[in-house]
């Protein structure tokens, strides 16, 4: 391939747009990976495939780059650190990885390994995920956030995990779940986990999963239910156990304005809860950070019209402004971004078994290789 053909390939496949600095087409025409995001450090993918075949590993296969996991975790924390410095934010940022995004052991192992230096935690939403998550030695200050439906067994696991030294937060989805926690706290007060409340916001996300948020969502507590839970905690003498307020407006949120609206609303709820005498330390803004799969940087379902740094800047600014106006202490911001950590780290390799071409025929019905068929123009 000559230079012009290579440049045409780059433009055709848009790799510079969606590759995020991790993938590109080299001057020899091969697709290469930059696992650390540094252009001069490359892995030639055709060469890597040939090497794997020489070792007896043949397609179809998944090729993973753990360095990309490390780099994405670093990018996430760096973005919030820079935003907090820019806006003189008095709180801090803590992150957890949502187990449901990728439950493969070879992936979670690397998430935990590279996340240790950032006190990176885990989020689980089911009992199998809970049990799997308990097998990992997280950093002492790392959060172990428990979302999803909770029955008695799930609540019991929370108390067991607390006894194991995990920094557990049981995020309740309804007053009935909170009541089970309060009942168990009477039996085992020493190992009572932190409590979180998932708030149902009026703000909605955008993209494919927008219906999972807003006032018609099945997730989270209404204002009346939040007040009921606060009253239950107060009556039980466990007001200090309220550690986190949580919301989530969906996955792959494509529009930054939707995130900003939700942040403003949630920040006001946090401030009002503080003024009622409760002292939740964390505001969990959930996940949903969009990945620009097509490189268009738009609000299409397969893209996002913001960067990771732009997201962090808007989150920090909006929460800081609301807390300043409401005269409340700034919370520790918890993020549950999963897609943005996992999306780039692996590729699927498959053999090309067959190539079909569109044959051209003359007016007599005889195949004519010199006759080109032009695509239909709409």
């Amino acid at each position: 391939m000559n230079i012009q053909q290579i440049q045409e390939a780059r433009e055709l496949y848009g790799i510079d747009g969606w590759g995020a600095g991790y993938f590109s087409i080299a001057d020899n025409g091969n697709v290469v990976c930059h696992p650390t995001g540094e252009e001069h450090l490359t892995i030639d993918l055709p060469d890597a495939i040939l090497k794997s075949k020489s070792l007896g590993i043949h397609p179809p296969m998944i090729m993973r780059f753990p360095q990309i996991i490390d780099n994405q975790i670093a990018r996430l924390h760096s973005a919030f650190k820079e935003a907090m410095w820019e806006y003189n934010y008095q709180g801090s940022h803590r992150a957890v990885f949502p187990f449901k995004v990728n439950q493969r052991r070879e992936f979670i192992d690397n998430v935990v390994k590279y996340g240790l230096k950032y006190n990176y935690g885990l989020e689980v939403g089911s009992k199998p995920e809970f049990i799997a998550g308990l097998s990992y030695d997280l950093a002492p200050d790392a959060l172990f956030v428990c979302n999803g439906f909770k029955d008695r067994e799930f609540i019991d696991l929370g108390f067991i995990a607390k006894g194991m030294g995990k920094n557990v937060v049981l995020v309740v989805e309804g007053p009935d779940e909170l009541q089970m926690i309060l009942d168990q706290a009477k039996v085992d007060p020493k190992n009572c986990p932190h409590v979180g409340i998932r708030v149902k916001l009026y703000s909605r996300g955008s993209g494919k999963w927008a219906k999972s948020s807003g006032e018609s969502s099945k997730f989270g507590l209404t204002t009346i239910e939040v007040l009921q839970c606060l009253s239950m905690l107060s009556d039980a003498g466990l007001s200090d156990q309220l550690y986190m307020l949580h919301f989530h407006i969906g996955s792959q949120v494509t529009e930054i304005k939707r995130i900003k609206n939700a942040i403003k609303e949630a920040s006001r709820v946090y401030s009002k809860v503080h003024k009622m005498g409760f002292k939740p330390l964390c505001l969990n803004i959930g996940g949903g950070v969009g990945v620009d799969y097509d490189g268009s940087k738009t609000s299409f379902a397969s893209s996002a019209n913001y960067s990771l740094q732009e997201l962090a800047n808007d989150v920090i600014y909006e929460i800081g402004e609301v807390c300043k106006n409401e005269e409340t202490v700034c919370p520790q911001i918890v993020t549950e971004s999963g897609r943005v950590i996992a999306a780039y780290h692996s590729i699927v390799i498959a053999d090309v078994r067959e190539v079909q071409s569109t044959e051209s025929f003359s007016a007599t019905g005889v195949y004519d290789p010199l006759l080109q068929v032009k695509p239909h123009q709409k």
Side-chain angles (χ1 to χ4, degrees), residues 200-204 210-222 265:
K200 181 184 295 186
L201 301 181
Y202 285 91
S203 302
R204 295 187 60 182
K211 292 183 179 179
S212 65
S213 57
E215 60 181 320
S216 61
S217 170
K218 64 180 180 180
F219 302 108
L221 283 72
T222 64
E265 183 181 353

Side-chain angles (χ1 to χ4, degrees), residues 15-23 32-35 37 45 62-73 75 97 101-102 107 252 289-295 297 302-304 306-308 338-348:
I15 195 168
D16 292 335
W18 57 259
Y22 295 124
F23 297 95
V32 296
C33 177
H34 312 280
L45 296 189
I62 296 178
M63 190 175 293
R64 300 180 185 275
F65 303 94
Q67 300 90 342
I68 293 180
I69 299 174
D70 184 15
N71 209 52
Q72 284 298 98
I73 292 175
R75 284 184 178 182
F97 182 82
V101 172
N102 191 322
F107 175 79
Q252 184 65 15
V289 179
V291 170
D292 191 6
Y293 290 105
D294 61 17
K297 295 180 174 59
S302 58
S303 186
Y306 55 91
S307 67
L308 191 55
R339 183 187 300 267
V340 74
I341 302 298
Y344 299 105
H345 94 283
S346 64
I347 58 175
V348 178

Side-chain angles (χ1 to χ4, degrees), residues 148-209:
F149 170 77
K150 299 171 188 66
D151 57 10
R152 177 65 64 180
E153 290 180 344
F154 199 120
I155 300 299
D156 290 344
L157 274 175
F159 279 76
I160 292 172
K162 177 66 175 180
M164 294 171 60
K166 303 294 185 182
N167 196 5
V168 181
V169 183
L170 293 177
V171 180
V172 298
E173 295 274 357
D176 57 329
E177 294 183 358
L178 179 57
Q179 187 60 57
M180 286 190 286
I181 296 174
L182 298 180
D183 292 342
Q184 185 62 23
K186 295 177 183 178
V187 179
D188 189 10
K190 181 181 178 181
N191 293 316
C192 183
H194 294 306
V195 174
I197 294 178
R198 181 166 179 173
V199 181
K200 181 184 295 186
L201 301 181
Y202 285 91
S203 302
R204 295 187 60 182
S206 60
K208 185 176 180 180
W209 288 274

Side-chain angles (χ1 to χ4, degrees), residues 159-339:
F159 279 76
I160 292 172
K162 177 66 175 180
M164 294 171 60
K166 303 294 185 182
N167 196 5
V168 181
V169 183
L170 293 177
V171 180
V172 298
E173 295 274 357
D176 57 329
E177 294 183 358
L178 179 57
Q179 187 60 57
M180 286 190 286
I181 296 174
L182 298 180
D183 292 342
Q184 185 62 23
K186 295 177 183 178
V187 179
D188 189 10
K190 181 181 178 181
N191 293 316
C192 183
H194 294 306
V195 174
I197 294 178
R198 181 166 179 173
V199 181
K200 181 184 295 186
L201 301 181
Y202 285 91
S203 302
R204 295 187 60 182
S206 60
K208 185 176 180 180
W209 288 274
K211 292 183 179 179
S212 65
S213 57
E215 60 181 320
S216 61
S217 170
K218 64 180 180 180
F219 302 108
L221 283 72
T222 64
T223 302
I224 298 299
E225 290 173 326
V226 170
L227 293 173
Q228 181 182 350
C229 286
L230 294 177
S231 178
M232 292 168 64
L233 284 168
S234 182
D235 293 344
L238 294 175
S239 298
D240 291 342
Q241 290 300 116
L242 180 60
Y243 188 81
M244 175 184 293
L245 294 180
H246 176 281
F247 75 90
H248 180 67
I249 60 170
S251 299
Q252 184 65 15
V253 181
T254 60
E255 299 178 22
I256 189 64
K257 69 177 182 180
R258 302 295 185 97
I259 297 176
K260 292 170 67 175
N261 290 339
I263 291 293
K264 290 178 184 177
E265 183 181 353
S267 299
R268 293 190 183 102
V269 173
Y270 163 84
S271 296
K272 299 305 180 186
V273 170
H274 252 269
K275 289 186 175 182
M276 292 175 64
F278 295 86
K279 305 298 180 184
L281 186 65
C282 301
L283 178 59
N284 188 332
I285 67 172
V289 179
V291 170
D292 191 6
Y293 290 105
D294 61 17
S296 65
K297 295 180 174 59
T298 64
S299 58
F300 291 151
S302 58
S303 186
N305 66 1
Y306 55 91
S307 67
L308 191 55
Q309 187 62 62
E310 289 170 334
L311 169 90
N313 289 347
D314 285 339
V315 167
I316 295 298
Y317 175 79
E318 297 296 349
I319 295 177
E321 282 296 294
V322 171
C323 290
K324 178 182 177 181
N325 295 333
E326 295 282 350
E327 298 182 344
T328 54
V329 61
C330 292
Q332 293 185 9
I333 299 171
V334 179
T335 57
E336 296 180 356
S337 301
R339 183 187 300 267

Side-chain angles (χ1 to χ4, degrees), residues 49 52-62 349 351:
I49 294 169
S52 69
K53 287 183 175 181
S54 71
L55 298 174
I57 304 172
H58 298 275
M61 63 183 177
I62 296 178
I349 307 294
D351 278 329

